[in-house]
Amino acid sequence: MPRKVSYGLDYDEDYGYDYEEVDDYRLDYDADDSGDVPIAREEPSRSTSNVWRCSICTYDNEEGLPACDICGVIRKTHIDVNNAKKTASASLKKDLPTERISTTSEENSNVVTSRGRHVNVIKSEHGSQLDIHASGSREVALEHGTSADEYKHQVLTSSSNSFSDESTNSAQKASSLKPYSHETWMLPEKGESVLTQLNIAIVGHVDSGKSTLSGRLLHLSGRISQKEMHKYEKEAKLQGKGSFAFAWALDESAEERERGITMTVAVAYFDTKKYHVVLLDSPGHKDFVPNMISGAIQADAAVLVIDASVGSFEAGMDGNKGQTREHAQLIRSFGIEQLIVAVNKMDAIEYSKERYELIKRQLGTFLRTSGFKDTSVQWVPMSAITNQNLDANPDDIRFSSWYKGPYLLKAIDSLPPPLRDFSRPLVMPVSDVIRSPSTGQISACGKLESGAMRAGLKVLVMPSGHLGTVKSMEHDSRPCTVARAGDHVAVVLQGVDGSRIIKGGVLCHPDFPISVAKHFELKVLTLEGASPILIGSQVELHIHHAMEAACVKKIISVLDPKTGEEMKKSPRILTPRQRAVIEVVLQGPVCAGEYSNCKALGRVSLRASGRTAAVGFVTRVIED
Ligand code: GTP
Ligand code: MG
């Protein structure tokens, strides 16, 4: 009889709730790729005269026309325009009086700042963007226009205004007028020879060598030229930080370089034989865990970097101060199952097999109890600084004499391809807002969690509810025509004020607006070493790229760790390593959804006193 291994806290299974099976989203939005002629759904019209609006090009056609005069799309059925208008408004919940708040360019430049780019590396502007989110999500705007486009914009905006105005206690529910059906261009073309995109988060304790490893990988793959590398080496030496030369490719800011630590997530790109890798180099310092969350939440897989040096591995594993544990638990709660443990700085321990085995044993036990399956974890000892076991087998005899496993790039190529949601409506959480230093254009950056985008497509900017049109897109600093689920892009929108695009916001399909709310029921797991959670506890709630202050309103029940069933009702306190159902009320609204509908918008982590207290997901968006 095989010995059963307890995988402890498996966030998908141990809660006694199989999300794959109750994936309502899939049922709601039955995909159809029939390629049939698109049928125009009538849109509400600005005028009360006898016209019907084409949903494709939004042109107001004469009542008698069977097809759109402009684009030829067939009119489906007759709907009274006044009723249609009510329906559209109702679907977005409320229709409150309109108001105008002018936004000066000065105001814009205060809230959206730019950041220089560097050899395919985009740095996040986390500190200021969190402020943008906090204020932006409560801002209101409505442009009074006369064009057909602007009418639709008004309908959407007024609903959102009502939300913003009454945001203290209302939840704006996602709703739609028709079932979603994707178009052919939204699916990857058959026989397309492009490499599959794989988003990899580089995480781990401070100073374990994450940025050095990232810089080295960019250099090995030719993304950083020899000339640029010489420049980094020279500059780093001049500042007395010679050992940080590779890290400087990722740590761009003067403060990061001076302190020798990463503060914000850097996004960089390189190709392996099998994948086009989007590398998310996270900060390891405990003060910047919120930034790490915002970056790593987009990942399909992770590389957990461990410093093998004596004392350093132990510091990372420290229950109170070590980020190895916290990062591992966080990435598992983000749904990341595939993990490569890069045991770095092997040169510092003379490539000792014994030390490597000890690390593997101790950390392996912890990873198992954190919900990682042995079969999904690969172990790769290496040295980023001496380039051992990164893109080829080690050539140092002290290392090659005992290590016969894969080198890092081989381990990356052996990761299974990620699953993508091409057939669901567009959802793109905004991870960053950047202003181009040359053109002044504002781009919303993020990973498409589902659906697709191309130039000319109308998208709804949440939480403000403004309607914009995709003007252009960039992927890996190059223009691209189509972006699909899984792609990491920077999108320029037209028809929407830049200040309405905020970090923590979401770009979505106009007919399938996502929920915006401030009251949630959550299923959580409290983490080891964190302070207990009480009714009234003040926490920071992180959900995709949004962060908001929250208060624990109720502790509904504690769940049995094995069965997921209710064990105790209304306890007064939650201690570490407990599963529970709680209710939280946020200070301001955030874009969010039930995990069973959209995983990307339903994963949460709660932080208090500078550390992660609990991880979990949204089980209910509560309307007060
Ligand atoms: P944070 O982002 O601040 O958490 O740090 P990090 O994990 O990105 O570490 P970083 O790459 O900045 O490297 C920290 C120090 O470790 C630097 O002095 C590097 O030279 C050193 N380092 C990185 N990799 C190795 C390695 O393989 N061997 C040795 N001996 N030192 C290394
Ligand atoms: Mg770093």
Side-chain angles (χ1 to χ4, degrees):
M1 182 113 175
R3 188 170 62 89
K4 285 237 181 235
V5 180
S6 163
Y7 282 102
L9 319 170
D10 190 315
Y11 300 94
D12 291 338
E13 292 156 19
D14 284 6
Y15 279 29
Y17 198 73
D18 191 337
Y19 294 98
E20 302 308 331
E21 280 178 21
V22 291
D23 208 342
D24 297 335
Y25 203 96
R26 206 176 286 280
L27 299 174
D28 282 354
Y29 308 131
D30 232 3
D32 166 30
D33 189 25
S34 57
D36 288 344
V37 180
I39 304 289
R41 179 177 54 80
E42 284 170 336
E43 299 268 335
S45 168
R46 168 174 39 92
S47 128
T48 51
S49 65
N50 286 342
V51 291
W52 62 275
R53 177 164 298 169
C54 174
S55 66
I56 304 300
C57 68
T58 66
Y59 181 73
D60 283 349
N61 291 283
E62 291 301 322
E63 178 59 35
L65 283 175
C68 175
D69 211 6
I70 298 293
C71 65
V73 167
I74 301 160
R75 179 187 184 190
K76 198 179 170 190
T77 50
H78 173 80
I79 300 170
D80 178 281
V81 283
N82 294 323
N83 274 344
K85 186 171 174 177
K86 277 182 209 149
T87 318
S89 299
S91 78
L92 289 151
K93 274 298 187 200
K94 293 195 180 97
D95 194 7
L96 282 192
T98 59
E99 65 177 281
R100 178 194 283 273
I101 293 183
S102 65
T103 314
T104 62
S105 55
E106 221 178 294
E107 185 193 336
N108 278 350
S109 62
N110 279 343
V111 290
V112 183
T113 54
S114 67
R115 184 77 173 245
R117 287 177 180 211
H118 201 276
V119 281
N120 313 309
V121 178
I122 308 165
K123 290 289 284 192
S124 313
E125 188 71 35
H126 291 275
S128 57
Q129 298 299 334
L130 291 173
D131 300 340
I132 295 169
H133 166 67
S135 58
S137 57
R138 279 167 232 134
E139 276 176 6
V140 182
L142 178 65
E143 267 82 52
H144 296 277
T146 51
S147 72
D149 266 357
E150 281 171 334
Y151 175 74
K152 189 166 181 184
H153 169 99
Q154 284 184 13
V155 173
L156 294 162
T157 312
S158 62
S159 129
S160 179
N161 279 345
S162 67
F163 168 70
S164 299
D165 289 348
E166 298 186 349
S167 60
T168 43
N169 58 11
S170 51
Q172 185 178 10
K173 256 206 159 172
S175 56
S176 65
L177 297 171
K178 59 172 185 179
Y180 176 73
S181 113
H182 61 258
E183 294 167 37
T184 315
W185 66 267
M186 295 176 171
L187 303 176
E189 281 159 37
K190 285 187 186 99
E192 223 172 351
S193 62
V194 290
L195 292 171
T196 305
Q197 186 167 305
L198 187 71
N199 301 285
I200 300 185
I202 312 288
V203 299
H205 190 62
V206 66
D207 270 352
S208 52
K210 299 177 291 299
S211 304
T212 303
L213 170 62
S214 304
R216 177 67 93 170
L217 289 175
L218 294 180
H219 185 230
L220 288 171
S221 60
R223 285 295 180 129
I224 297 176
S225 67
Q226 201 58 37
K227 198 171 150 205
E228 285 164 318
M229 206 51 239
H230 278 314
K231 189 170 147 264
Y232 292 136
E233 276 167 13
K234 217 169 117 190
E235 287 172 1
K237 259 189 202 143
L238 269 175
Q239 280 199 26
K241 295 226 181 285
S243 69
F244 285 87
F246 283 106
W248 275 32
L250 287 297
D251 296 340
E252 284 184 280
S253 77
E255 193 179 353
E256 284 179 319
R257 290 178 173 186
E258 202 179 303
R259 292 177 66 181
I261 58 166
T262 305
M263 293 159 76
T264 59
V265 175
V267 184
Y269 304 83
F270 70 92
D271 291 346
T272 64
K273 281 186 194 137
K274 191 171 156 194
Y275 291 118
H276 174 59
V277 175
V278 180
L279 188 147
L280 304 151
D281 177 36
S282 313
H285 193 284
K286 64 178 170 42
D287 288 355
F288 305 108
V289 173
N291 294 350
M292 172 270 173
I293 292 175
S294 178
I297 203 153
Q298 306 169 75
D300 304 305
V303 174
L304 176 63
V305 183
I306 304 297
D307 183 342
S309 329
V310 178
S312 301
F313 164 66
E314 289 73 12
M317 291 295 283
D318 183 289
N320 286 320
K321 294 183 196 141
Q323 256 57 64
T324 302
R325 283 166 174 263
E326 190 173 9
H327 281 199
Q329 286 173 318
L330 278 168
I331 55 170
R332 187 63 193 91
S333 79
F334 301 157
I336 296 171
E337 291 176 3
Q338 296 296 328
L339 184 70
I340 296 174
V341 184
V343 182
N344 192 28
K345 305 199 188 179
M346 288 295 291
D347 58 297
I349 52 159
E350 309 280 318
Y351 302 99
S352 159
K353 184 182 178 198
E354 289 67 39
R355 173 82 180 154
Y356 167 71
E357 294 292 351
L358 176 118
I359 291 171
K360 196 173 166 184
R361 240 186 350 265
Q362 289 189 3
L363 182 58
T365 308
F366 175 75
L367 293 177
R368 236 170 270 132
T369 59
S370 300
F372 288 98
K373 295 187 174 142
D374 282 350
T375 48
S376 305
V377 179
Q378 300 188 67
W379 296 82
V380 183
M382 49 171 259
S383 166
I385 217 95
T386 58
N387 189 21
Q388 288 291 316
N389 212 25
L390 296 187
D391 66 336
N393 293 322
D395 54 18
D396 189 306
I397 187 70
R398 292 170 294 171
F399 196 178
S400 57
S401 59
W402 60 267
Y403 182 73
K404 305 291 173 207
Y407 50 86
L408 184 63
L409 290 183
K410 211 173 190 176
I412 290 177
D413 271 343
S414 71
L415 292 168
L419 296 172
R420 305 289 188 211
D421 263 337
F422 298 116
S423 57
R424 296 189 197 179
L426 171 72
V427 171
M428 184 188 121
V430 179
S431 62
D432 264 304
V433 183
I434 54 171
R435 185 194 286 274
S436 155
S438 50
T439 62
Q441 275 185 333
I442 286 167
S443 308
C445 304
K447 176 189 158 199
L448 273 76
E449 292 293 345
S450 58
M453 255 196 281
R454 68 176 171 186
L457 191 84
K458 293 247 182 316
V459 296
L460 191 61
V461 180
M462 296 300 268
S464 79
H466 286 69
L467 199 61
T469 306
V470 176
K471 187 177 168 203
S472 60
M473 291 183 298
E474 266 188 17
H475 168 74
D476 189 1
S477 304
R478 286 180 216 136
C480 65
T481 48
V482 182
R484 302 192 179 95
D487 288 346
H488 205 282
V489 287
V491 188
V492 176
L493 296 178
Q494 63 185 23
V496 57
D497 190 290
S499 65
R500 309 300 166 202
I501 306 167
I502 57 168
K503 176 186 157 78
V506 174
L507 304 186
C508 61
H509 191 299
D511 291 339
F512 299 89
I514 51 116
S515 307
V516 182
K518 54 178 296 193
H519 190 173
F520 301 102
E521 181 191 88
L522 312 174
K523 230 176 215 187
V524 295
L525 165 74
T526 53
L527 299 187
E528 212 170 298
S531 343
I533 295 178
L534 301 152
I535 295 165
S537 285
Q538 299 293 324
V539 293
E540 244 173 39
L541 181 129
H542 294 256
I543 187 158
H544 53 95
H545 307 289
M547 182 184 89
E548 191 62 53
C551 175
V552 177
K553 193 181 171 203
K554 280 187 202 164
I555 303 178
I556 298 169
S557 56
V558 172
L559 306 176
D560 185 304
K562 291 207 176 77
T563 63
E565 300 204 337
E566 192 174 282
M567 255 181 13
K568 190 176 175 191
K569 268 201 166 121
S570 312
R572 291 187 52 231
I573 187 166
L574 285 182
T575 50
R577 296 183 67 82
Q578 281 192 313
R579 283 142 228 230
V581 181
I582 63 172
E583 259 182 44
V584 291
V585 177
L586 279 57
Q587 227 166 61
V590 292
C591 298
E594 283 161 19
Y595 180 85
S596 54
N597 284 340
C598 180
K599 291 181 180 179
L601 299 181
R603 290 194 172 99
V604 296
S605 31
L606 304 179
R607 304 196 85 238
S609 314
R611 57 175 302 143
T612 307
V615 292
F617 42 81
V618 177
T619 43
R620 199 155 56 96
V621 178
I622 301 172
E623 280 186 69
D624 288 326

Short mmCIF file of all heavy atoms in Angstrom, two decimals, residues 87-108:
data_model
loop_
_atom_site.label_atom_id
_atom_site.label_comp_id
_atom_site.label_asym_id
_atom_site.label_seq_id
_atom_site.Cartn_x
_atom_site.Cartn_y
_atom_site.Cartn_z
N THR A 87 -33.18 49.09 -20.90
CA THR A 87 -32.52 47.80 -20.66
C THR A 87 -31.03 47.96 -20.48
O THR A 87 -30.43 47.40 -19.58
CB THR A 87 -32.77 46.86 -21.86
OG1 THR A 87 -34.11 47.01 -22.25
CG2 THR A 87 -32.46 45.43 -21.52
N ALA A 88 -30.45 48.76 -21.38
CA ALA A 88 -28.99 48.93 -21.30
C ALA A 88 -28.59 49.56 -19.99
O ALA A 88 -27.64 49.13 -19.34
CB ALA A 88 -28.52 49.80 -22.46
N SER A 89 -29.37 50.55 -19.55
CA SER A 89 -29.02 51.20 -18.30
C SER A 89 -29.21 50.25 -17.14
O SER A 89 -28.39 50.18 -16.24
CB SER A 89 -29.88 52.43 -18.10
OG SER A 89 -29.64 53.32 -19.15
N ALA A 90 -30.34 49.50 -17.21
CA ALA A 90 -30.61 48.59 -16.09
C ALA A 90 -29.53 47.56 -15.96
O ALA A 90 -29.16 47.17 -14.87
CB ALA A 90 -31.96 47.91 -16.32
N SER A 91 -29.03 47.12 -17.12
CA SER A 91 -28.01 46.08 -17.04
C SER A 91 -26.78 46.58 -16.31
O SER A 91 -26.00 45.82 -15.79
CB SER A 91 -27.62 45.63 -18.44
OG SER A 91 -26.75 46.57 -19.01
N LEU A 92 -26.61 47.87 -16.31
CA LEU A 92 -25.47 48.42 -15.59
C LEU A 92 -25.90 48.99 -14.25
O LEU A 92 -25.25 49.86 -13.68
CB LEU A 92 -24.81 49.49 -16.46
CG LEU A 92 -24.10 48.87 -17.65
CD1 LEU A 92 -24.07 49.81 -18.81
CD2 LEU A 92 -22.72 48.46 -17.24
N LYS A 93 -27.04 48.52 -13.83
CA LYS A 93 -27.54 48.78 -12.49
C LYS A 93 -28.20 50.13 -12.25
O LYS A 93 -29.33 50.21 -11.84
CB LYS A 93 -26.44 48.58 -11.45
CG LYS A 93 -26.33 47.17 -11.00
CD LYS A 93 -27.59 46.76 -10.37
CE LYS A 93 -27.52 45.42 -9.75
NZ LYS A 93 -28.85 44.88 -9.57
N LYS A 94 -27.52 51.26 -12.44
CA LYS A 94 -28.10 52.52 -12.03
C LYS A 94 -27.91 53.58 -13.09
O LYS A 94 -27.06 53.50 -13.94
CB LYS A 94 -27.44 52.98 -10.74
CG LYS A 94 -27.77 52.07 -9.58
CD LYS A 94 -27.42 52.74 -8.29
CE LYS A 94 -27.77 51.82 -7.14
NZ LYS A 94 -26.63 51.08 -6.69
N ASP A 95 -28.71 54.60 -13.04
CA ASP A 95 -28.63 55.68 -13.99
C ASP A 95 -28.86 56.98 -13.23
O ASP A 95 -29.97 57.46 -13.13
CB ASP A 95 -29.70 55.45 -15.07
CG ASP A 95 -29.43 56.35 -16.25
OD1 ASP A 95 -28.39 57.00 -16.27
OD2 ASP A 95 -30.28 56.37 -17.15
N LEU A 96 -27.84 57.51 -12.69
CA LEU A 96 -27.98 58.68 -11.83
C LEU A 96 -27.68 59.96 -12.59
O LEU A 96 -27.16 59.93 -13.69
CB LEU A 96 -27.01 58.56 -10.65
CG LEU A 96 -27.44 57.63 -9.53
CD1 LEU A 96 -26.54 57.86 -8.34
CD2 LEU A 96 -28.87 57.80 -9.12
N PRO A 97 -28.02 61.11 -12.02
CA PRO A 97 -27.74 62.36 -12.70
C PRO A 97 -26.27 62.45 -13.10
O PRO A 97 -25.39 61.94 -12.43
CB PRO A 97 -28.04 63.41 -11.63
CG PRO A 97 -28.88 62.74 -10.63
CD PRO A 97 -28.61 61.29 -10.71
N THR A 98 -26.05 63.13 -14.21
CA THR A 98 -24.70 63.21 -14.72
C THR A 98 -23.97 64.42 -14.14
O THR A 98 -24.58 65.34 -13.66
CB THR A 98 -24.76 63.38 -16.23
OG1 THR A 98 -25.49 64.56 -16.49
CG2 THR A 98 -25.39 62.21 -16.89
N GLU A 99 -22.68 64.37 -14.18
CA GLU A 99 -21.91 65.51 -13.73
C GLU A 99 -20.58 65.54 -14.48
O GLU A 99 -20.14 64.56 -15.04
CB GLU A 99 -21.67 65.46 -12.23
CG GLU A 99 -20.83 64.31 -11.77
CD GLU A 99 -20.58 64.37 -10.29
OE1 GLU A 99 -19.71 65.14 -9.88
OE2 GLU A 99 -21.23 63.63 -9.55
N ARG A 100 -19.98 66.68 -14.51
CA ARG A 100 -18.71 66.80 -15.21
C ARG A 100 -17.62 67.24 -14.24
O ARG A 100 -17.80 68.15 -13.46
CB ARG A 100 -18.82 67.85 -16.32
CG ARG A 100 -17.53 68.07 -17.07
CD ARG A 100 -17.64 69.32 -17.86
NE ARG A 100 -18.42 69.11 -19.06
CZ ARG A 100 -17.90 68.68 -20.20
NH1 ARG A 100 -16.62 68.44 -20.29
NH2 ARG A 100 -18.65 68.52 -21.26
N ILE A 101 -16.54 66.54 -14.29
CA ILE A 101 -15.37 67.00 -13.53
C ILE A 101 -14.26 67.17 -14.53
O ILE A 101 -13.89 66.23 -15.23
CB ILE A 101 -14.95 65.97 -12.46
CG1 ILE A 101 -16.04 65.90 -11.39
CG2 ILE A 101 -13.62 66.32 -11.85
CD1 ILE A 101 -15.72 64.98 -10.26
N SER A 102 -13.80 68.36 -14.69
CA SER A 102 -12.76 68.56 -15.70
C SER A 102 -11.43 68.05 -15.16
O SER A 102 -11.15 68.11 -13.97
CB SER A 102 -12.65 70.03 -16.06
OG SER A 102 -12.23 70.74 -14.95
N THR A 103 -10.65 67.55 -16.07
CA THR A 103 -9.34 67.03 -15.68
C THR A 103 -8.27 67.77 -16.46
O THR A 103 -8.24 67.70 -17.67
CB THR A 103 -9.25 65.53 -16.01
OG1 THR A 103 -10.45 64.93 -15.56
CG2 THR A 103 -8.06 64.90 -15.37
N THR A 104 -7.46 68.47 -15.80
CA THR A 104 -6.41 69.20 -16.49
C THR A 104 -5.24 68.27 -16.77
O THR A 104 -5.09 67.24 -16.15
CB THR A 104 -5.89 70.35 -15.62
OG1 THR A 104 -5.34 69.76 -14.46
CG2 THR A 104 -6.97 71.33 -15.26
N SER A 105 -4.44 68.69 -17.74
CA SER A 105 -3.28 67.84 -18.04
C SER A 105 -2.33 67.82 -16.86
O SER A 105 -1.61 66.87 -16.64
CB SER A 105 -2.57 68.35 -19.29
OG SER A 105 -2.24 69.70 -19.10
N GLU A 106 -2.38 68.88 -16.08
CA GLU A 106 -1.51 68.94 -14.91
C GLU A 106 -1.91 67.85 -13.91
O GLU A 106 -1.10 67.13 -13.38
CB GLU A 106 -1.71 70.30 -14.27
CG GLU A 106 -0.43 70.93 -13.78
CD GLU A 106 -0.75 72.28 -13.23
OE1 GLU A 106 -1.16 73.14 -14.00
OE2 GLU A 106 -0.62 72.45 -12.02
N GLU A 107 -3.26 67.76 -13.76
CA GLU A 107 -3.78 66.75 -12.85
C GLU A 107 -3.35 65.37 -13.33
O GLU A 107 -2.94 64.51 -12.56
CB GLU A 107 -5.31 66.85 -12.86
CG GLU A 107 -5.99 65.93 -11.86
CD GLU A 107 -7.48 65.84 -12.13
OE1 GLU A 107 -8.03 66.77 -12.73
OE2 GLU A 107 -8.06 64.83 -11.74
N ASN A 108 -3.43 65.21 -14.68
CA ASN A 108 -3.01 63.93 -15.25
C ASN A 108 -1.58 63.60 -14.90
O ASN A 108 -1.28 62.50 -14.49
CB ASN A 108 -3.09 63.99 -16.78
CG ASN A 108 -4.51 63.74 -17.22
OD1 ASN A 108 -5.33 63.35 -16.41
ND2 ASN A 108 -4.77 63.99 -18.47
#
